[in-house]
Amino acid sequence: MTIGIVGVGNMGSIFAEKFSKEAERILLVEKDSEKLSRFDAPPYEVADLEKAREADLIVLAVKPQDAPVVLGTLKGFDGILLSIVAGLKIEEIRKYGIHKVARIMPNVAVRVGEGVLATAFSADMSSEERELVKSLLEKLGFVVEIEEKLFSAVTALTGSGPAFIFVVVEAFLDAALKMGIPLDTAKELVYRLFRGSAELLIETDEHPALWKHRVSSPAGTTIEGLITMERFAVRSGVIESLVSSYKRALELEEK
Ligand SMILES: NC(=O)C1=CN([C@@H]2O[C@H](COP(=O)(O)OP(=O)(O)OC[C@H]3O[C@@H](n4cnc5c(N)ncnc54)[C@H](OP(=O)(O)O)[C@@H]3O)[C@@H](O)[C@H]2O)C=CC1
Ligand SMILES: O=C(O)[C@@H]1CCC=N1
């Protein structure tokens, strides 16, 4: 198989790395040649958009505003176009005569193989082609097929989600410093706190509110902190933040 990757930036470079054993050739199309310097041996080949047409599957990983030019040049491409571009609908890509489309919303955790990858397919993708795409994406994390109408929501929830989590993690680190815990120790503790809490929820599949109450002793320390979180409207702040991100994703789709 030959895979093309157009846009070898934050995300495209990770796809290029993770697909290294999945294809005989990986054709990389990138404006900034410095970003290609570490991909200097097979299966990687530097390519332009015309050469990328030789691929069986092209990953489109440019910013939304750059996508129309790329798609214009790839017009009529008859392989699989796997797009991770936020706000770019399958029907929009089909207008360029590209019919086999996999729309994906990944997140940056693909870097460590722990990404969340929402997928939707155009009707022209056969079940074998869908399975091929899913098996490739499984190298990057957890793959879930969703209705395309939910893409703006997952863009906010899991696509942008890591950025929101990082802000919260950063606040935990600041609090640790304030309480006298050195930064290196705080990082060791806090990163595992987040991972452990997430794994607990995944493994038990019990509601977070149940676990919240199990942690909270009567008249203890946790309930004091929880009441302060309510006073600062942490929950509605998180909800409003995600909804504003969702609205922006809807705007991108409408453009
Ligand atoms: N970053 C993330 O966490 C996520 C991103 N996405 C989506 O992934 C896409 C890529 O995001 P990200 O990787 O962060 O973006 P980057 O800007 O890091 O990467 C895009 C790359 O594409 C290059 N490029 C632009 N136009 C062309 C062209 N015509 N031919 C070849 N290369 C080109 C850019 O070069 P230059 O900078 O010189 O223009 C840049 O190096 C976006 O559409 C985004 O919505 C989805 C989920 C998560
Ligand atoms: O910020 C963005 O628009 C993209 C989409 C999801 C993550 N990054």
Side-chain angles (χ1 to χ4, degrees):
M1 181 165 58
T2 298
I3 292 178
I5 299 188
V6 181
V8 189
N10 294 316
M11 295 303 280
S13 62
I14 300 171
F15 277 69
E17 275 170 25
K18 299 286 178 186
F19 288 170
S20 67
K21 293 191 174 60
E22 310 306 314
E24 289 88 59
R25 299 169 72 205
I26 299 187
L27 309 176
L28 301 177
V29 185
E30 169 56 49
K31 272 195 208 162
D32 179 355
S33 58
E34 264 182 38
K35 291 182 182 167
L36 298 179
S37 57
R38 65 198 168 101
F39 299 107
D40 59 353
Y44 303 110
E45 295 173 35
V46 177
D48 58 18
L49 284 171
E50 272 314 310
K51 196 174 172 68
R53 285 176 176 276
E54 292 172 18
D56 304 292
L57 177 151
I58 293 178
V59 178
L60 180 63
V62 297
K63 293 285 190 209
Q65 61 270 24
D66 294 322
V69 170
V70 172
L71 290 170
T73 314
L74 290 176
K75 208 167 190 167
F77 173 65
D78 61 3
I80 298 169
L81 197 286
L82 188 160
S83 168
I84 66 165
V85 178
L88 184 59
K89 286 187 188 168
I90 292 173
E91 68 176 38
E92 196 56 38
I93 296 174
R94 285 177 50 85
K95 287 182 189 160
Y96 293 87
I98 300 170
H99 298 296
K100 293 178 181 182
V101 183
R103 183 175 176 188
I104 315 295
M105 181 44 60
N107 68 15
V108 76
V110 292
R111 168 84 184 269
V112 291
E114 290 288 342
V116 173
L117 300 111
T119 68
F121 299 103
S122 65
D124 304 80
M125 291 272 292
S126 68
S127 52
E128 289 78 17
E129 288 164 337
R130 290 171 195 227
E131 288 311 313
L132 169 73
V133 168
K134 285 186 196 167
S135 70
L136 281 173
L137 296 179
E138 277 162 8
K139 311 287 169 212
L140 298 158
F142 181 75
V143 182
V144 60
E145 198 170 338
I146 61 166
E147 288 179 71
E148 198 191 5
K149 67 179 183 194
L150 296 176
F151 256 73
S152 293
V154 293
T155 299
L157 191 67
T158 55
S160 303
F164 308 139
I165 302 287
F166 297 146
V167 168
V168 177
V169 170
E170 191 191 5
F172 270 70
L173 295 179
D174 289 348
L177 285 169
K178 174 73 178 164
M179 295 184 287
I181 300 175
L183 185 60
D184 283 348
T185 308
K187 286 196 285 189
E188 283 183 336
L189 297 173
V190 170
Y191 297 169
R192 285 165 183 78
L193 163 70
F194 276 77
R195 185 172 65 191
S197 304
E199 281 177 1
L200 182 67
L201 294 175
I202 292 169
E203 276 189 28
T204 64
D205 197 25
E206 289 180 322
H207 197 281
L210 190 69
W211 281 109
K212 183 185 81 173
H213 285 137
R214 284 183 182 146
V215 177
S216 306
S217 307
T221 61
T222 311
I223 191 63
E224 284 302 322
L226 288 171
I227 290 166
T228 306
M229 288 180 99
E230 294 304 325
R231 188 160 6 103
F232 283 89
V234 171
R235 271 199 283 198
S236 57
V238 170
I239 294 166
E240 290 296 337
S241 304
L242 267 80
V243 171
S244 65
S245 176
Y246 165 63
K247 285 181 181 161
R248 178 63 187 139
L250 286 174
E251 273 174 20
L252 286 180
E253 280 205 341
E254 279 153 20
K255 266 190 183 166

